[in-house]
Amino acid sequence: MKRFEARRSRTETKVPFVFVAPAVVFLLGTLVVVALGALGYRELHEWASIASSRRAALVARSVQSELERTPGSAREAKLDELAQRTGAILVIEDSEGEPLLRATPKRPPASTLTHVEPFGRDGSKLVVLSPPYDPSEARATLLGALGLFAILVLAASVFVAWTLARDVQADLLFLRGVVKKLVQEGTPEAGLIPVRTIDQVGQLTASFNMLLERFYAAERAYRADLAGANAFDKDRSAFLAALSHELRTPLNGILGFTDVLLSELDGPLSDEARENLSIVRTSAEHLRSLIDDVLAFSALEAGEFRLSREDLDLYLVASDVVTEARLTASQKNIQIELAKDDSEGPTFAQADRRRMRQVLQNVVSNAIKFTSQGKVRVEVKRKGSEVHCIITDTGPGIPKADLETIFREFEQSSAGAAQRTGTGLGLAITRRLTDLHSGRVEVESEPGHGAKFTIAIPVVAPVDISIPPHPRLSQAPSPELAALDETPGAPPLEAPVPPEALKEPE
């Protein structure tokens, strides 16, 4: 966007087309006039050379004719007279080239053109040294005519170019103004642009109108699809509200009565009955965690999550998560460790306690679920302006191709197919909640070498933000989804989620 604005600024500072076109025409016309002048000057000098040669020959013949009619005793005087009259140097030479008579005008020419004519029967010659033709007068005439031609032609061409450029610029500015108005108003189907001319600018305007018609058609189709998507979202919200009431309420009753029976308030239980009730309670808890995953993800997608930040020691949060996970880890004979590195500072960050607990529970429960033997290690440390929670396991690892797939909704890694359970929303919710804290989730893994998840949370929150709604939502969150918090017998969306919830891998 910045590059486009800079390019547009440079474009607007250039010389307008209405001045560029006449200037280009003027320069081209000037070059043509200069070329014509050079050509005419060369032709003039060639013509002057030919005229000088012919003039010398004519002078020689005239002098020869007059001298032949003049008696021998008067030829010297006549030669002087002809030299003064023609302005040429006249010389009569014998057959050996020795001068017999010579006549020079009062103003001898600076440069001469020699012409020789036979004179008499004894082999003598008449040599005429005639001045060349001076083309200065013709040159002045040529320059005057050329200057008048240049003025007329350049003035006419510049005027025509300026007129055409002015009309083209006016049409382009009109087109630009209409387009700018359409963009600024932002009204759908504001109308087509009138075609003012039938030249290339008019063709451009007509083509742009065709583009506008296609755009309006696409916008109508988009709005129709958007209306359908909004209707679908409302139906989905209503369905989730009914699901919360119809499923979570009976599940809460099942869990409550199961706890009562397991507490043996109504009498002692046999080992078989206790085992059966434990299975019922575990299955009900798992089912409730799946429902919590779907509802939590729906709230995130609709942009309804808000953070309640506080100065939170992430090590204490991790300690609570690890304590709750020890029972599950011990049942699989897996060791779970908690470590703290405060060499760079305390592990406090501005975060939401319940959401950070949810994030750590998802990752830690995933690590325990996919680790068959070995251990799971949780380390909390300060690193620069962030607090890092690092969870490593000795599980089967994640293929490189699945490192991004596991963070997508309803998708899981192919490495843990044997342990695949849940909705595939755990890590997607983890990434969403971490983004909500302006943090990040990174994963490093190789098949057969376990996985390493790093959750980085800024010590100081940049802004108190919330995740925006899904792109297809153009309205505020529907009241049906907000009503999930009011469903009888169901815990609110902002209530702490059980440790087993939101832990399925992607």
Side-chain angles (χ1 to χ4, degrees):
M1 187 65 180
K2 292 182 178 179
R3 182 183 300 177
F4 172 76
E5 293 292 339
R7 184 181 302 173
R8 187 179 68 175
S9 177
R10 291 196 301 268
T11 303
E12 292 178 351
T13 57
K14 291 181 179 179
V15 181
F17 177 71
V18 70
F19 298 114
V20 172
V24 172
V25 171
F26 179 79
L27 291 177
L28 291 177
T30 302
L31 292 177
V32 171
V33 170
V34 170
L36 290 177
L39 181 62
Y41 192 82
R42 188 185 66 179
E43 293 292 333
L44 177 62
H45 276 272
E46 291 180 358
W47 176 81
S49 176
I50 295 174
S52 298
S53 300
R54 292 180 178 178
R55 182 176 183 276
L58 182 60
V59 169
R61 292 191 185 95
S62 299
V63 171
Q64 179 186 25
S65 176
E66 293 219 14
L67 288 179
E68 286 179 350
R69 293 196 300 268
T70 304
S73 58
R75 284 183 177 176
E76 184 175 358
K78 188 64 174 177
L79 194 64
D80 288 336
E81 178 187 351
L82 293 173
Q84 299 300 328
R85 189 170 62 188
T86 60
I89 301 175
L90 305 178
V91 180
I92 298 177
E93 299 177 350
D94 59 12
S95 59
E96 301 295 332
E98 294 295 331
L100 300 177
L101 294 175
R102 180 185 179 90
T104 303
K106 293 181 179 180
R107 292 184 178 179
S111 59
T112 58
L113 214 71
T114 304
H115 190 81
V116 180
E117 288 286 340
F119 185 75
R121 298 178 180 178
D122 55 355
S124 59
K125 297 175 292 181
L126 174 64
V127 179
V128 179
L129 303 176
S130 175
Y133 175 76
D134 185 10
S136 58
E137 184 177 352
R139 188 185 301 116
T141 304
L142 174 64
L143 292 178
L146 192 62
L148 181 61
F149 171 78
I151 291 174
L152 294 177
V153 172
L154 290 179
S157 59
V158 167
F159 176 75
V160 172
W162 177 79
T163 303
L164 294 177
R166 181 193 60 184
D167 294 341
V168 171
Q169 187 182 33
D171 290 338
L172 291 177
L173 290 178
F174 172 76
L175 178 61
R176 175 187 175 186
V178 174
V179 173
K180 188 175 182 180
K181 184 178 179 181
L182 291 176
V183 173
Q184 290 177 348
E185 291 180 355
T187 55
E189 302 192 29
L192 303 180
I193 301 175
V195 181
R196 297 180 56 184
T197 57
I198 58 174
D199 55 4
Q200 284 79 3
V201 178
Q203 295 176 5
L204 174 63
T205 306
S207 301
F208 188 79
N209 285 337
M210 294 176 60
L211 180 63
L212 281 180
E213 290 177 349
R214 293 187 178 183
F215 172 76
Y216 292 150
E219 187 176 21
R220 289 192 295 269
Y222 165 74
R223 290 182 178 276
D225 294 341
L226 185 61
N230 289 333
F232 170 78
D233 287 326
K234 291 181 180 179
D235 294 340
R236 184 191 62 175
S237 299
F239 169 75
L240 290 177
L243 181 69
S244 174
H245 176 73
E246 298 297 333
L247 294 181
R248 295 181 66 174
T249 301
L251 280 176
N252 288 335
I254 293 173
L255 290 172
F257 281 108
T258 303
D259 290 337
V260 170
L261 293 174
L262 288 174
S263 64
E264 299 183 349
L265 293 178
D266 295 333
L269 298 174
S270 64
D271 293 339
E272 183 179 0
R274 179 176 295 277
E275 182 181 357
N276 292 335
L277 286 174
S278 298
I279 294 175
V280 170
R281 191 183 192 287
T282 302
S283 300
E285 286 284 359
H286 179 67
L287 182 57
R288 187 173 67 175
S289 69
L290 298 182
I291 297 173
D292 289 337
D293 278 353
V294 175
L295 295 179
F297 181 76
S298 298
L300 281 169
E301 189 180 39
E304 292 187 350
F305 262 52
R306 298 295 182 272
L307 296 182
S308 178
R309 298 183 186 273
E310 59 178 295
D311 288 334
L312 181 64
D313 190 349
L314 296 185
Y315 175 77
L316 296 181
V317 177
S319 177
D320 293 340
V321 172
V322 170
T323 300
E324 294 176 358
R326 288 192 188 278
L327 177 60
T328 306
S330 63
Q331 292 176 351
K332 297 185 65 175
N333 294 323
I334 298 173
Q335 182 181 3
I336 183 169
E337 300 177 352
L338 176 64
K340 179 180 181 181
D341 182 3
D342 54 1
S343 59
E344 295 189 22
T347 55
F348 282 85
Q350 292 183 0
D352 187 301
R353 180 183 299 273
R354 288 179 294 179
R355 298 311 167 196
M356 288 307 306
R357 183 187 183 96
Q358 187 176 358
V359 167
L360 294 177
Q361 282 175 342
N362 287 345
V363 181
V364 171
S365 61
N366 268 350
I368 295 175
K369 180 192 302 183
F370 290 98
T371 301
S372 300
Q373 58 183 358
K375 64 179 180 179
V376 175
R377 175 181 173 85
V378 180
E379 181 182 5
V380 182
K381 65 178 181 179
R382 173 76 174 268
K383 189 172 183 180
S385 60
E386 296 176 333
V387 177
H388 287 192
C389 299
I390 305 171
I391 298 93
T392 57
D393 61 61
T394 58
I398 305 172
K400 186 177 181 180
D402 293 341
L403 291 180
E404 281 298 323
T405 303
I406 59 176
F407 292 103
R408 296 174 186 169
E409 299 83 5
F410 307 106
E411 294 190 21
Q412 300 177 349
S413 172
S414 59
Q419 297 92 349
R420 181 175 297 178
T421 57
T423 60
L425 291 175
L427 291 181
I429 295 174
T430 297
R431 171 167 280 185
R432 293 283 189 99
L433 292 177
T434 306
D435 293 340
L436 200 62
H437 284 84
S438 301
R440 66 184 187 279
V441 179
E442 299 175 351
V443 57
E444 302 174 14
S445 180
E446 292 182 4
H449 295 82
K452 175 182 179 182
F453 285 82
T454 302
I455 302 171
I457 304 298
V459 174
V460 179
V463 288
D464 193 7
I465 63 172
S466 62
I467 290 182
H470 193 275
R472 69 169 177 262
L473 295 178
S474 61
Q475 302 174 354
S478 59
E480 291 84 355
L481 188 57
L484 291 175
D485 288 343
E486 303 173 0
T487 305
L493 290 179
E494 295 296 327
V497 182
E500 296 82 358
L502 308 178
K503 62 183 179 182
E504 285 70 24
E506 294 305 301

XYZ file of all heavy atoms in Angstrom, residues 17-61:
340
model
N 0.191 16.125 -19.217
C 0.238 15.702 -20.611
C -0.069 16.847 -21.549
O 0.424 16.891 -22.680
C -0.763 14.563 -20.802
C -0.859 14.074 -22.222
C 0.183 13.362 -22.792
C -1.982 14.337 -22.989
C 0.101 12.913 -24.098
C -2.073 13.893 -24.297
C -1.029 13.179 -24.850
N -0.878 17.828 -21.102
C -1.255 18.935 -21.972
C -0.054 19.802 -22.327
O -0.065 20.525 -23.331
C -2.366 19.772 -21.290
C -1.805 20.537 -20.104
C -3.023 20.718 -22.291
N 1.011 19.757 -21.530
C 2.243 20.486 -21.850
C 3.288 19.584 -22.492
O 4.136 20.059 -23.249
C 2.829 21.117 -20.582
C 1.917 22.130 -19.944
C 1.368 21.886 -18.701
C 1.594 23.312 -20.591
C 0.516 22.804 -18.104
C 0.746 24.242 -20.007
C 0.198 23.984 -18.763
N 3.232 18.314 -22.174
C 4.236 17.392 -22.722
C 4.056 17.216 -24.222
O 5.026 17.270 -24.993
C 4.151 16.029 -22.002
C 5.039 15.001 -22.685
C 4.560 16.180 -20.541
N 2.807 17.030 -24.672
C 2.570 16.778 -26.098
C 3.027 17.943 -26.975
O 3.765 17.736 -27.951
C 1.091 16.460 -26.327
N 2.641 19.210 -26.692
C 3.155 20.308 -27.520
C 4.672 20.430 -27.463
O 5.308 20.767 -28.478
C 2.479 21.544 -26.927
C 1.264 21.034 -26.249
C 1.641 19.698 -25.726
N 5.273 20.172 -26.299
C 6.728 20.272 -26.199
C 7.401 19.232 -27.083
O 8.390 19.524 -27.773
C 7.165 20.100 -24.741
N 6.860 18.013 -27.084
C 7.434 16.974 -27.936
C 7.277 17.334 -29.405
O 8.208 17.183 -30.216
C 6.769 15.622 -27.620
C 7.194 14.561 -28.622
C 7.124 15.163 -26.203
N 6.096 17.825 -29.780
C 5.874 18.230 -31.174
C 6.813 19.374 -31.554
O 7.369 19.406 -32.662
C 4.400 18.615 -31.373
C 4.189 19.239 -32.751
C 3.510 17.405 -31.208
N 7.013 20.319 -30.648
C 7.907 21.447 -30.934
C 9.336 20.963 -31.153
O 10.024 21.407 -32.085
C 7.852 22.443 -29.774
C 8.762 23.621 -29.955
C 8.408 24.680 -30.772
C 9.996 23.673 -29.320
C 9.247 25.765 -30.949
C 10.842 24.739 -29.484
C 10.465 25.808 -30.301
N 9.784 20.046 -30.292
C 11.151 19.530 -30.452
C 11.306 18.769 -31.764
O 12.295 18.944 -32.490
C 11.496 18.627 -29.273
C 11.654 19.326 -27.916
C 11.926 18.302 -26.823
C 12.787 20.345 -27.967
N 10.328 17.941 -32.107
C 10.402 17.208 -33.365
C 10.361 18.154 -34.556
O 11.111 17.996 -35.523
C 9.245 16.203 -33.443
C 9.313 15.021 -32.462
C 8.069 14.144 -32.603
C 10.567 14.197 -32.696
N 9.491 19.174 -34.479
C 9.442 20.144 -35.562
C 10.733 20.916 -35.702
O 11.195 21.200 -36.819
N 11.340 21.259 -34.570
C 12.627 21.969 -34.619
C 13.694 21.106 -35.275
O 14.496 21.595 -36.089
C 13.055 22.362 -33.196
O 12.031 23.171 -32.611
C 14.355 23.137 -33.217
N 13.714 19.820 -34.929
C 14.685 18.925 -35.560
C 14.458 18.830 -37.069
O 15.418 18.824 -37.855
C 14.589 17.539 -34.922
C 15.041 17.429 -33.455
C 14.813 16.014 -32.941
C 16.509 17.804 -33.327
N 13.196 18.778 -37.471
C 12.902 18.719 -38.910
C 13.351 20.000 -39.609
O 13.953 19.961 -40.700
C 11.391 18.476 -39.113
C 11.022 18.623 -40.588
C 11.012 17.096 -38.625
N 13.091 21.151 -39.007
C 13.503 22.426 -39.608
C 15.020 22.519 -39.701
O 15.576 22.971 -40.716
C 12.918 23.595 -38.792
C 13.532 24.914 -39.236
C 11.400 23.642 -38.946
N 15.721 22.088 -38.656
C 17.188 22.121 -38.687
C 17.713 21.201 -39.786
O 18.654 21.544 -40.519
C 17.745 21.720 -37.307
C 19.242 21.510 -37.373
C 17.416 22.792 -36.279
N 17.104 20.022 -39.926
C 17.538 19.099 -40.981
C 17.296 19.695 -42.364
O 18.157 19.617 -43.259
C 16.798 17.772 -40.834
N 16.137 20.336 -42.554
C 15.861 20.988 -43.843
C 16.831 22.119 -44.102
O 17.291 22.326 -45.240
C 14.418 21.505 -43.850
C 13.308 20.437 -43.900
C 11.943 21.099 -43.820
C 13.423 19.616 -45.177
N 17.156 22.895 -43.064
C 18.117 23.986 -43.236
C 19.493 23.481 -43.639
O 20.153 24.048 -44.519
N 19.948 22.383 -42.966
C 21.254 21.827 -43.328
C 21.260 21.313 -44.752
O 22.231 21.520 -45.506
C 21.618 20.706 -42.352
N 20.177 20.660 -45.154
C 20.088 20.159 -46.528
C 20.076 21.308 -47.532
O 20.768 21.274 -48.560
C 18.826 19.304 -46.673
C 18.588 18.667 -48.042
C 19.731 17.713 -48.383
C 17.246 17.950 -48.075
N 19.306 22.368 -47.234
C 19.274 23.520 -48.131
C 20.610 24.236 -48.206
O 21.014 24.714 -49.284
N 21.300 24.323 -47.095
C 22.612 24.978 -47.078
C 23.600 24.209 -47.946
O 24.396 24.801 -48.701
C 23.110 25.075 -45.645
C 24.298 25.973 -45.464
C 24.142 27.357 -45.355
C 25.590 25.450 -45.391
C 25.241 28.185 -45.190
C 26.689 26.270 -45.219
C 26.518 27.637 -45.118
O 27.604 28.451 -44.957
N 23.562 22.880 -47.844
C 24.461 22.086 -48.679
C 24.121 22.239 -50.167
O 25.009 22.423 -51.017
C 24.373 20.611 -48.274
C 25.401 19.729 -48.952
C 25.188 18.278 -48.623
N 23.923 17.801 -49.177
C 23.486 16.553 -49.047
N 24.184 15.689 -48.331
N 22.337 16.188 -49.586
N 22.835 22.210 -50.498
C 22.432 22.381 -51.886
C 22.814 23.772 -52.392
O 23.212 23.947 -53.559
C 20.916 22.166 -52.012
C 20.460 20.739 -51.744
C 20.943 19.790 -52.824
O 21.152 20.226 -53.972
O 21.120 18.597 -52.502
N 22.725 24.771 -51.545
C 23.087 26.130 -51.954
C 24.555 26.223 -52.310
O 24.940 26.861 -53.315
C 22.745 27.106 -50.821
C 23.111 28.570 -51.043
C 22.351 29.140 -52.243
C 22.814 29.401 -49.799
N 25.426 25.592 -51.528
C 26.856 25.644 -51.820
C 27.190 24.867 -53.096
O 28.058 25.292 -53.873
C 27.647 25.093 -50.631
C 27.885 26.124 -49.571
N 28.975 26.964 -49.577
C 27.148 26.482 -48.484
C 28.932 27.768 -48.525
N 27.820 27.493 -47.844
N 26.504 23.758 -53.306
C 26.731 23.035 -54.564
C 26.281 23.875 -55.755
O 26.965 23.956 -56.794
C 25.965 21.703 -54.526
C 26.531 20.698 -53.531
C 25.745 19.405 -53.530
O 24.739 19.334 -54.286
O 26.129 18.466 -52.788
N 25.156 24.519 -55.628
C 24.664 25.379 -56.703
C 25.623 26.560 -56.928
O 25.881 26.963 -58.069
C 23.280 25.886 -56.358
C 22.734 26.871 -57.367
C 22.154 26.598 -58.558
C 22.755 28.289 -57.233
N 21.801 27.750 -59.208
C 22.161 28.824 -58.399
C 23.221 29.174 -56.244
C 22.015 30.192 -58.616
C 23.060 30.528 -56.462
C 22.474 31.028 -57.626
N 26.183 27.139 -55.836
C 27.123 28.252 -55.963
C 28.401 27.816 -56.681
O 28.980 28.563 -57.485
C 27.449 28.823 -54.590
N 28.862 26.593 -56.410
C 30.058 26.090 -57.090
C 29.809 25.930 -58.590
O 30.643 26.313 -59.434
C 30.475 24.761 -56.468
O 31.576 24.208 -57.152
N 28.634 25.395 -58.940
C 28.303 25.237 -60.358
C 28.159 26.612 -61.031
O 28.640 26.840 -62.162
C 27.017 24.415 -60.499
C 27.238 22.985 -59.977
C 26.542 24.378 -61.942
C 25.984 22.148 -59.932
N 27.516 27.541 -60.327
C 27.339 28.879 -60.885
C 28.680 29.578 -61.091
O 28.887 30.309 -62.081
C 26.437 29.706 -59.973
N 29.624 29.381 -60.159
C 30.945 29.995 -60.301
C 31.674 29.456 -61.531
O 32.310 30.212 -62.284
C 31.772 29.732 -59.033
O 31.155 30.316 -57.910
N 31.578 28.116 -61.730
C 32.232 27.519 -62.893
C 31.626 28.053 -64.194
O 32.337 28.410 -65.156
C 32.109 25.990 -62.840
O 32.723 25.491 -61.673
N 30.312 28.116 -64.216
C 29.678 28.632 -65.432
C 29.992 30.115 -65.646
O 30.159 30.563 -66.792
C 28.166 28.423 -65.331
C 27.777 26.943 -65.381
C 26.286 26.780 -65.289
N 25.902 25.362 -65.388
C 24.648 24.926 -65.305
N 23.656 25.800 -65.127
N 24.397 23.635 -65.417
N 30.075 30.877 -64.574
C 30.392 32.297 -64.700
C 31.806 32.490 -65.250
O 32.058 33.348 -66.118
C 30.268 32.980 -63.339
C 30.541 34.474 -63.360
C 30.288 35.065 -61.966
N 30.472 36.486 -61.974
C 31.638 37.096 -61.836
N 32.746 36.363 -61.679
N 31.726 38.410 -61.859
N 32.750 31.665 -64.766
C 34.126 31.775 -65.261
C 34.202 31.441 -66.753
O 34.888 32.111 -67.541
C 35.034 30.851 -64.457
N 33.439 30.381 -67.152
C 33.438 30.024 -68.570
C 32.798 31.111 -69.418
O 33.284 31.449 -70.529
C 32.693 28.702 -68.747
N 31.725 31.716 -68.926
C 31.061 32.786 -69.676
C 31.953 34.015 -69.805
O 32.042 34.651 -70.886
C 29.747 33.135 -68.974
C 28.884 34.208 -69.634
C 28.483 33.775 -71.037
C 27.650 34.525 -68.792
N 32.634 34.373 -68.698
C 33.555 35.526 -68.753
C 34.672 35.258 -69.756
O 35.070 36.137 -70.557
C 34.114 35.820 -67.350
C 35.270 36.827 -67.436
C 33.018 36.364 -66.442
N 35.209 34.015 -69.738
C 36.300 33.682 -70.651
C 35.856 33.791 -72.109
O 36.575 34.339 -72.984
C 36.812 32.284 -70.343
N 34.677 33.290 -72.415
C 34.198 33.349 -73.796
C 33.932 34.800 -74.239
O 34.211 35.193 -75.383
C 32.938 32.504 -73.951
C 33.186 31.009 -73.802
C 31.974 30.203 -74.232
N 32.157 28.776 -73.975
C 31.739 28.138 -72.906
N 31.097 28.799 -71.958
N 31.972 26.853 -72.767
